[in-house]
Amino acid sequence: MSLLEIEGLRVSYGDMLALDDVALEVGAEETVTVLGANAAGKTTLLRALSGLVPTQEGSIVFDGEAIDGLPPHDRVERGLVQVPEGRMVFPFLNVEDNLRLGAYGKRAREELEATFDRVLTLFPRLAERRAQLAGSLSGGEQQMLALGRGLMARPRLLMLDEPSLGLAPRLVSEVMERVAAIRADRVTVLIVEQNVAQTLRLADRGYVLENGRLALSGTAEELAASDEVRRAYLGM
Amino acid sequence: MPLDLTLQILTSGLLLGGLYALLAVGLTLIFGVLRVVNFAHAEFMMLGMFGAYWLWALWGIDPYLSIFIVVPGVFLLGVLTDRLVIQRSIGAPEVTVVFATLGVSIFLQNAALTAWSADIRSVTTPYGSAVVELGSVRISVPMLVSFVVALAFATGLWLFLNRTMFGKAIQAVAQNRDAAALMGIDVGRVYLVTYSVAVAAAGAMGVLIAPLFSVYPRVGLSYIVTVFVIVVLGGLGSVVGAVIAALLVGVIESVVGFLLGTAWAELAYFLVFLAVLVVRPQGLLGRRGAEVYQ
Ligand SMILES: Nc1ncnc2c1ncn2[C@@H]1O[C@H](COP(=O)(O)OP(=O)(O)OP(=O)(O)O)[C@@H](O)[C@H]1O
Ligand SMILES: [Mg+2]
């Protein structure tokens, strides 16, 4: 059974339809990517899954239970965790506080110290900068912090919205390495990325969103080989 | 000016500032966390004053005792206001939020007017005009009590915000509401607690000044402008800034009031306010851009 199953999802902002009839599933321990041009609705999809924007129609089933209508913090408590677009670290709190807040929920808090040590091992730079204000970190460091903070919640499904946005190529590879490590840790991943080539190498399967509708889906190999994806996203 | 007199004026100013601080700290907290300008803030102080008045007038309960009844009462009223009005207007366009809290202010004023008329009432206590002498400086006992309570509240709040997990969750909500929700923080609960604690502090101030000043339904109006000036001067959302600005405004009011008369006092702190904003638009301890962080 899939860990996440979405059917007939519709989201609109006022009278602008942002997502229409979107269906998608993510199996346990799979890595799935959502591709799409700017304004295709990728962020809207993840925000709807987290409960930050209301859905008009459709269903979201996580681990066999309908979660539409649950407030965001209840979804986090069930293990549906998101690292949002633009990192959104808490700029006036230090690195350690940012990480600890990641484990705010009851379930995550029970194992806070153990997770904290693991995250610092995975991101040694964060360990060095524990006492520094998050707002004064570099862009790359902030992204590592956002990822680490997401892991603090002990996700069962980790949603990543453009984790390499605005980073230099060397840092992009570093971020992708960390995502690979997270995946190797048996965390299920749903990733939205502009670096389509690297992401397809990492993912098992993928979907393509166009103007709020699903245009294509398949295994990562199928997508990487499809003319449409090669032309639109791989620049070939 | 002789030294004794100078000390006396400065002391009175600081004590007055302490009163303002109790209102200002809550107002700045509500703004920082909920992004709501709480125009009804001083009405909760008015209700605190009336609470103290009626418990004294009907049953002879001293304000320093009734504070333990009135403050929880105002807290509950804060819970109710948050649930019925504030949470429903959050996320709506800014004017809606402004009208919502303005509406609460007008509603509470008129409810008080209907229930208790516009009469001016006062509480008389044995210590209402008591003073302690510190050298040559005379200090009003009720003012001193309210000053101590205000500073204790501000210190406790600061410790709570910076030393507890829930306090840090409140800061997280202030800095980025969506990200806080994604951390598993119940944002609605943070709003509820913040709003209710802040208005309860306003209620506490009302009780503490009941032995000193008269109470009537529109008494809040004489404080709210000063307190808004203090909150902006201290830096929107900054608890420490609000305390410093409150003390500063209290001292300016007292010094200028003595030298030039009370009419000039307000003008004086407005001028200081403008001067500070020209040099530091974010206020004394505010963070540039913090007010637009989400
Ligand atoms: N809060 C909002 N209010 C109104 N319209 C919005 C809002 N958020 C997004 N939109 C619109 O919804 C559409 C989808 O936006 P979304 O952010 O989901 O796209 P995206 O695929 O994530 O794009 P990008 O690759 O640029 O991040 C866009 O047309 C956008 O302008
Ligand atoms: Mg996006």
Side-chain angles (χ1 to χ4, degrees), chain B residues 170-220:
Chain B
I170 293 177
Q171 292 190 57
V173 170
Q175 291 172 32
N176 193 317
R177 178 166 74 195
D178 283 349
L182 291 178
M183 298 304 105
I185 295 168
D186 183 345
V187 175
R189 190 153 161 270
V190 165
Y191 284 172
L192 179 75
V193 172
T194 303
Y195 190 82
S196 311
V197 167
V199 301
M205 176 194 167
V207 178
L208 292 170
I209 64 172
L212 292 162
F213 305 111
S214 311
V215 53
Y216 48 96
R218 307 186 63 163
V219 64

Side-chain angles (χ1 to χ4, degrees), chain A residues 47 50 52 72-73 76 82 84 88 90-93 97 100-102 104-105 109 112 149, chain B residues 165-166 168-169 171-172 175-176 178-187 189 287 290 293:
Chain A
R47 286 175 67 83
S50 283
L52 292 176
H73 61 270
V76 176
Q82 177 178 173
M88 295 195 187
F90 303 116
F92 304 117
L93 288 172
D97 285 341
R100 287 177 181 275
L101 280 168
Y104 193 81
R109 206 184 295 199
L112 194 152
R149 197 179 57 171
Chain B
M165 195 75 166
F166 191 69
K168 285 180 182 163
Q171 292 190 57
Q175 291 172 32
N176 193 317
D178 283 349
L182 291 178
M183 298 304 105
I185 295 168
D186 183 345
V187 175
R189 190 153 161 270
R287 296 152 170 146
Y293 242 102

Side-chain angles (χ1 to χ4, degrees), chain B residues 14-102:
Chain B
L14 286 174
L15 293 176
L16 182 65
L19 284 185
Y20 292 152
L22 209 40
L23 271 187
V25 163
L27 192 61
T28 207
L29 192 67
I30 292 176
F31 180 81
V33 177
L34 285 78
R35 305 285 135 159
V36 164
V37 179
N38 190 30
F39 284 104
H41 208 66
E43 271 59 58
F44 290 97
M45 175 203 80
M46 177 268 292
L47 290 175
M49 289 181 91
F50 266 116
Y53 173 79
W54 285 114
L55 286 173
W56 170 80
L58 296 176
W59 294 296
I61 304 176
D62 187 272
Y64 290 155
L65 274 180
S66 66
I67 192 167
F68 296 104
I69 306 166
V70 175
V71 170
V74 178
F75 180 89
L76 288 180
L77 208 64
V79 170
L80 207 67
T81 312
D82 180 73
R83 278 285 134 94
L84 292 179
V85 182
I86 307 294
Q87 303 249 358
R88 283 164 207 258
S89 64
I90 276 173
E94 244 156 69
V95 280
T96 313
V97 186
V98 168
F99 281 120
T101 67
L102 215 52

Side-chain angles (χ1 to χ4, degrees), chain A residues 117-167:
Chain A
D117 291 340
R118 262 212 349 241
V119 167
L120 289 190
T121 318
L122 190 59
F123 300 102
R125 282 192 72 80
L126 297 182
E128 288 164 28
R129 298 178 179 268
R130 270 166 93 137
Q132 192 174 326
L133 288 190
S136 67
L137 297 174
S138 73
E141 289 164 346
Q142 287 193 15
Q143 187 58 56
M144 298 303 173
L145 177 57
L147 282 174
R149 197 179 57 171
L151 289 176
M152 289 297 297
R154 301 202 70 103
R156 299 182 59 204
L157 196 164
L158 186 63
M159 300 187 281
L160 305 172
D161 195 347
E162 306 211 21
S164 74
L165 186 73
L167 298 185

Side-chain angles (χ1 to χ4, degrees), chain A residues 42-146:
Chain A
K42 307 178 297 294
T43 298
T44 302
L45 174 65
L46 296 197
R47 286 175 67 83
L49 291 177
S50 283
L52 292 176
V53 295
T55 57
Q56 272 83 46
E57 263 176 55
S59 66
I60 305 171
V61 175
F62 184 69
D63 196 22
E65 280 178 67
I67 58 163
D68 4 15
L70 287 186
H73 61 270
D74 281 341
R75 304 188 193 201
V76 176
E77 191 60 33
R78 286 164 190 245
L80 184 59
V81 174
Q82 177 178 173
V83 176
E85 186 177 63
R87 327 189 207 300
M88 295 195 187
V89 297
F90 303 116
F92 304 117
L93 288 172
N94 66 24
V95 167
E96 176 162 352
D97 285 341
N98 267 270
L99 288 173
R100 287 177 181 275
L101 280 168
Y104 193 81
K106 191 162 151 281
R107 184 180 50 92
R109 206 184 295 199
E110 277 163 12
E111 299 173 79
L112 194 152
E113 298 307 329
T115 327
F116 188 64
D117 291 340
R118 262 212 349 241
V119 167
L120 289 190
T121 318
L122 190 59
F123 300 102
R125 282 192 72 80
L126 297 182
E128 288 164 28
R129 298 178 179 268
R130 270 166 93 137
Q132 192 174 326
L133 288 190
S136 67
L137 297 174
S138 73
E141 289 164 346
Q142 287 193 15
Q143 187 58 56
M144 298 303 173
L145 177 57

